[in-house]
Each structure stands twice: as structure tokens, then as C-alpha cells.
């Protein structure tokens, strides 16, 4: 609330002048876009958007050395299962750009998942598996603090901190979005669009020449391979059991289906996505 922020910023009578503000608020209420509603959206947006806005506007008259917001790499790369969280952090990035344009100090730290105390840890092992499917590891606390120390006080407006294997990250796309085209050239030349297209063409030819039972077996192997990577499993998956038995939920199904679409070159509708339950289907 505005009154609470005003009390927080009240420095009258304090022996020390307030010189810096760090906005660290955030929470999660995950879900795919089709299941998003205004309550889920606002619950996640409010701490970031309203909190950031009030801190920014009500501190205008203070001579701050720094105004730092903890954003997320998801504001840049997105997350199909966290549309509300991605949007909330995108707002913070825009708020920082606005402050900088007005000559006020501002820095957005777009962190990847932080180990030990970050929001990502609330999802437990399942959350770590989702990030690993995107080629991303958790940032150790010491490294996060070092990155914070390096960025604050400099002339940066935005700093992205992530431990990501971009070749793995790019596997989820059949055609790299424009934002990642240069990244694909530099970070994953061996997984170019042409190479993926050749892989898909070879798979389709193999399927075309196979009998119906053989096609089922081929596709089962493909799905098992990508499901194993997505779930971070070392052992085999029983194709007759629902993937949810192995920990797959609606949020984890997004990177899995992205991988399958890239490998097969087939677009699955949202309705079909929600119906996927077994490897063999």
C-alpha cells in the first residue's frame, strides 16, 4: 500500500540519509496461459509492478546512489508456464528504462534461477529439472553476490546473470526466434536450422518407409529420449505408464512438447497438448 511505502521511506530524524533502494519482492503462482486468470495474474504482478512503481515514484525527491530491482531472465526469454511472472519482471525492466530516460539511477538485475534461497527452489527437484531442460543451472549464492557487487554502482541499466548452455536451450526451437538467431550462430553452430531440418527430414523418411507398428516404435523412442532429458532421469521410462507418474506436470510438459515439435516439425494444438498423458500416444 502507498501509506506503507511512505512510512518505509520516511527518513526524518534518521542519523543516516537513505542512499539506495533494492526492490526484491516476488512470488510464484505458476500455470500455463490457458489456465491463467486475473486473480493468478494480479497476485504475481502486484508485488513487482505496484511495489516497484510506488518505490520509484515516492523516492523521486531523494538523492539516491542506486535504485535496484531484482528482475528475472524470464522477462527476456519468457516461460510458457509462467506468463504472469514473466510479465511482472518485464514491467520492472521497463520501469528501469523509464527511470534512466528521466535521468534517475536505476538498474535491473535479470537473474537466472538462484540456488539456496531463490524463488526457483520453491519448486524443489522438479523446478531444477525444468531449468535443466532449458540448459540452465542454478546460480550459487556466492556467484550471485559477486555479480550483484560487480553490477551495482556501475553504469549498466540492465545486467543478465545466468548459467546457461545455449546449445541445449536452443534445442526447444525448430526455427530460432529472431532474438536468438545470432546466439544460434555463435553459441550452437552445430544445431543450426539447416541441421535440425535435415534431422527432421531423415526421421520423416524413416517413418514413411516403416510399417504402422514400426512407426509407433520409432516415435516411442523419440518421445522417450526427450522425456528422459526433460525429466532429468538417468533410468528408463516405461512407455505404458503415464508420464505424470514420473513427475511430469503441465508446467514441465511445455519444454517437453517444445522439444518434440522441434524434433518432429509438427505443431501440436493446445487441446492436444492438454490430452497428452502417455508416451505411446
Amino acid at each position: 500500500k502507498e501509506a506503507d511505502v511512505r512510512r518505509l521511506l520516511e527518513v526524518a530524524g534518521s542519523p543516516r540519509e537513505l542512499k539506495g533502494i533494492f526492490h526484491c519482492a516476488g512470488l510464484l503462482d505458476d500455470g500455463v496461459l490457458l489456465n491463467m486468470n486475473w486473480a493468478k495474474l494480479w497476485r504475481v504482478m502486484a508485488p513487482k509492478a505496484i511495489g516497484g512503481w510506488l518505490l520509484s515514484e515516492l523516492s523521486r525527491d531523494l538523492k539516491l546512489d542506486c535504485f535496484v530491482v531484482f528482475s528475472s531472465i524470464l522477462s527476456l526469454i519468457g516461460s510458457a508456464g509462467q506468463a504472469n511472472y514473466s510479465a511482472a519482471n518485464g514491467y520492472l525492466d521497463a520501469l528501469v528504462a523509464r527511470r534512466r530516460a528521466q535521468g534517475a539511477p536505476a538498474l535491473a538485475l535479470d537473474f537466472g534461477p538462484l540456488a539456496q534461497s531463490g524463488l526457483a527452489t520453491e519448486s524443489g527437484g522438479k523446478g531444477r529439472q525444468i531449468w535443466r531442460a532449458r540448459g540452465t543451472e542454478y546460480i550459487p549464492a556466492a556467484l550471485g553476490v559477486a555479480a550483484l557487487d560487480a553490477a551495482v554502482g556501475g553504469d549498466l541499466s540492465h545486467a543478465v546473470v545466468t548459467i546457461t548452455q545455449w546449445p541445449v536451450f536452443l534445442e526447444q526451437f525448430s526455427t530460432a526466434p529472431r532474438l536468438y538467431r545470432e546466439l544460434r550462430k555463435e553459441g550452437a553452430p552445430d544445431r543450426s536450422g539447416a541441421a535440425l531440418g535435415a534431422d527432421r527430414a531423415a526421421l520423416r523418411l524413416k517413418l514413411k518407409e516403416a510399417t504402422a507398428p514400426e512407426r509407433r516404435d520409432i516415435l516411442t523412442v523419440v518421445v522417450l529420449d526427450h522425456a528422459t532429458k526433460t525429466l532429468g532421469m538417468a533410468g528408463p521410462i516405461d512407455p505404458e505408464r503415464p508420464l505424470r507418474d514420473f513427475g511430469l506436470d503441465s508446467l514441465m510438459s511445455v519444454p517437453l512438447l517444445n522439444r518434440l515439435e522441434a524434433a518432429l516439425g509438427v505443431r501440436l494444438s493446445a487441446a492436444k497438448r492438454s490430452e497428452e498423458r502417455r508416451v505411446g500416444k
Side-chain angles (χ1 to χ4, degrees):
K1 296 179 180 180
E2 181 175 340
D4 296 327
V5 178
R6 288 186 180 277
R7 284 195 296 270
L8 182 65
L9 295 177
E10 180 59 52
V11 294
S14 173
R16 296 184 180 180
E17 184 179 3
L18 181 62
K19 301 300 293 182
I21 292 176
F22 287 74
H23 179 275
C24 309
L27 53 82
L28 298 175
D29 193 352
D30 296 342
V32 295
L33 188 58
L34 288 176
N35 295 332
M36 191 62 60
N37 55 46
W38 285 113
K40 287 173 68 72
L41 178 69
W42 187 244
R43 181 169 182 265
V44 173
M45 287 287 294
K48 296 274 189 180
I50 302 301
W53 174 261
L54 289 175
L55 284 171
S56 177
E57 290 302 298
L58 299 180
S59 65
R60 286 291 179 181
D61 296 331
L62 302 179
K63 296 180 180 180
L64 299 176
D65 291 334
C66 63
F67 182 93
V68 182
V69 300
F70 278 65
S71 183
S72 168
I73 192 174
L74 294 184
S75 69
L76 304 176
I77 65 174
S79 175
Q82 295 176 303
N84 48 5
Y85 188 70
S86 300
N89 286 291
Y91 176 90
L92 287 181
D93 289 348
L95 178 64
V96 163
R98 179 178 184 271
R99 284 181 59 89
R100 297 278 293 200
Q102 296 174 339
L107 168 66
L109 294 173
D110 295 87
F111 271 106
L114 290 164
Q116 296 175 283
S117 60
L119 279 177
T121 61
E122 293 184 2
S123 300
K126 184 179 296 184
R128 186 179 288 269
Q129 290 168 3
I130 293 174
W131 280 104
R132 281 180 174 168
R134 301 172 184 163
T136 300
E137 294 292 340
Y138 282 19
I139 302 168
L143 182 58
V145 172
L148 174 66
D149 184 59
V152 175
D155 194 41
L156 294 174
S157 61
H158 295 76
V160 179
V161 185
T162 185
I163 303 175
T164 298
Q165 297 179 28
W166 295 112
V168 177
F169 174 82
L170 291 169
E171 286 180 1
Q172 63 185 296
F173 303 110
S174 56
T175 301
R178 184 174 301 175
L179 177 64
Y180 304 126
R181 286 178 185 171
E182 292 303 314
L183 184 63
R184 184 181 287 283
K185 292 178 184 177
E186 298 178 12
D190 58 324
R191 298 300 295 168
S192 64
L196 288 172
D199 290 344
R200 286 197 301 271
L203 177 59
R204 287 190 173 190
L205 179 61
K206 188 176 181 179
L207 290 169
K208 183 178 180 181
E209 295 175 346
T211 64
E214 289 173 339
R215 284 197 293 271
R216 180 183 178 87
D217 291 339
I218 292 170
L219 289 173
T220 297
V221 171
V222 172
V223 177
L224 282 173
D225 178 57
H226 288 287
T228 300
K229 292 178 181 178
T230 301
L231 293 167
M233 296 180 61
I237 294 176
D238 182 354
E240 297 303 319
R241 290 177 58 190
L243 287 176
R244 61 174 176 269
D245 288 356
F246 299 93
L248 188 80
D249 58 13
S250 60
L251 190 59
M252 292 188 71
S253 70
V254 174
L256 172 58
L257 288 166
N258 285 341
R259 283 173 173 269
L260 291 174
E261 287 181 352
L264 300 172
V266 176
R267 178 66 180 172
L268 295 176
S269 70
K272 287 183 179 180
R273 283 169 172 245
S274 65
E275 293 171 358
E276 293 293 329
R277 288 295 182 270
R278 295 180 182 272
V279 172
K281 288 187 177 180

